Amino acid sequence: MKIVVFTGAGVSAESGLGTFRDADGLWEKYRVEDVCTHEAWLRNPELCVEFYNARRRDTLAAQPNAAHFAIKKLQENFPDTEIITQNIDDLHERAGSHNITHLHGEITKLRSNIDETDTVPCMGDQHYGDRHPDGSLLRPYIVFFGEGVPYFPRACQIASTADILIVVGTSLNVYPAASLLEYAPDTAKIYVVDPGKPEFGHFRYRVEHIQKKASEGVPELVDMLCKS
Ligand code: APR
């Protein structure tokens, strides 16, 4: 049984990391166009670096929650389970999960300004002006709005192999990530764990919506799958 888990900011909400579009979300406090677009990076790189330094500090101070650990347990019971995440935090990794594809980058890395996949580790504040070994200015390893999503083709290939697709904590507002559901086989069972109402579109009649917080709904779902 091939299980694919697709996560968004909601899986890390109970670890204290903000989501983007909830009432108290990050995009209520910051303008996307100031800190998370390609133009913002060109116009005001120091502000972008400062924004992601703050998010890195929050991430490093956070701990995985019961949902992250339940997903790790799922991988122990179904070893070829793959995780595709929109999140830049490392909480899946710190919960002990593996086979993780980050679609929108990773806060614990910086990247070359020339090669979008050439990264170096960063576990503290970035100092704007530091350079990558290739000589280019280092930048946050984040996919800004308006930039390509280099691992999206791989994510589509992974989704196309799913017998079960588990979607946790994403509003399904951002493309191309949200279109991953289209790549799951018609025969795949789709579970969604989210206390809110994601944009299901034509999937609304197909998904089994567990309308609970991740730390409650994911362990319940994993226990059911492990017993089945
Ligand atoms: N448990 C599960 N889901 C939750 C919880 C929780 N405790 N709290 C909130 N949610 C759900 C919300 O109901 C919503 O559906 O998490 C989702 C968060 O949606 P967004 O804030 O839009 O986050 P996400 O879907 O991950 O955003 C996608 O947008 O800004 C970009 O690159 C950024 O990766 C991000 C992308």
Side-chain angles (χ1 to χ4, degrees), residues 7-11 13-14 19-22 27 32 36 86-88 104 143 145 168-174 193-198 212-215:
T7 62
V11 78
E14 291 159 272
T19 61
F20 296 94
R21 295 170 185 83
D22 287 326
W27 299 146
V32 174
C36 191
Q86 299 172 86
N87 298 341
I88 60 174
H104 295 157
V143 175
F145 285 97
V168 185
T170 175
S171 62
L172 296 172
N173 264 306
V174 172
V193 180
D194 191 316
K197 293 188 174 14
K212 295 183 177 179
K213 291 186 171 186
S215 66

Side-chain angles (χ1 to χ4, degrees), residues 20-226:
F20 296 94
R21 295 170 185 83
D22 287 326
D24 58 347
L26 276 165
W27 299 146
E28 296 299 313
K29 300 170 190 138
Y30 298 88
R31 286 166 19 104
V32 174
E33 49 274 21
D34 290 342
V35 291
C36 191
T37 63
H38 189 69
E39 294 68 30
W41 174 249
L42 298 177
R43 188 176 62 247
N44 197 341
E46 291 94 329
L47 181 62
C48 295
V49 166
E50 203 181 296
F51 176 72
Y52 284 100
N53 280 344
R55 295 195 59 206
R56 189 174 303 106
R57 288 194 288 269
D58 290 347
T59 296
L60 297 178
Q63 295 302 323
N65 65 58
H68 297 103
F69 289 116
I71 292 165
K72 182 223 179 189
K73 177 182 170 188
L74 189 68
Q75 287 191 308
E76 288 168 343
N77 284 268
F78 300 94
D80 64 349
T81 295
E82 303 221 34
I83 299 168
I84 301 165
T85 186
Q86 299 172 86
N87 298 341
I88 60 174
D89 66 56
D90 62 344
L91 297 182
H92 283 304
E93 287 86 350
R94 284 200 269 145
S97 282
H98 54 278
N99 294 349
I100 304 164
T101 299
H102 285 265
L103 283 179
H104 295 157
E106 297 177 65
I107 195 69
T108 57
K109 297 175 182 173
L110 302 175
R111 78 158 171 86
S112 156
N113 219 15
I114 299 171
D115 175 348
E116 59 189 355
T117 60
D118 192 344
T119 64
V120 297
C122 180
M123 300 306 279
D125 280 4
Q126 176 188 356
H127 304 287
Y128 178 67
D130 288 353
R131 291 191 178 271
H132 184 278
D134 69 9
S136 69
L137 273 178
L138 280 165
R139 53 161 276 183
Y141 178 48
I142 303 296
V143 175
F144 293 140
F145 285 97
E147 296 183 330
V149 185
Y151 293 117
F152 184 65
R154 182 165 92 185
C156 295
Q157 194 283 324
I158 293 168
S160 72
T161 65
D163 296 309
I164 294 179
L165 177 64
I166 300 173
V167 181
V168 185
T170 175
S171 62
L172 296 172
N173 264 306
V174 172
Y175 285 81
S179 66
L180 268 184
L181 276 70
E182 304 288 348
Y183 292 86
D186 291 344
T187 52
K189 173 76 178 167
I190 304 177
Y191 296 97
V192 174
V193 180
D194 191 316
K197 293 188 174 14
E199 297 290 333
F200 290 137
H202 67 87
F203 282 94
R204 75 180 67 258
Y205 304 110
R206 170 118 179 256
V207 303
E208 182 169 336
H209 187 185
I210 301 165
Q211 202 158 7
K212 295 183 177 179
K213 291 186 171 186
S215 66
E216 192 185 340
V218 177
E220 284 176 10
L221 176 57
V222 168
D223 287 347
M224 184 273 286
L225 292 171
C226 292

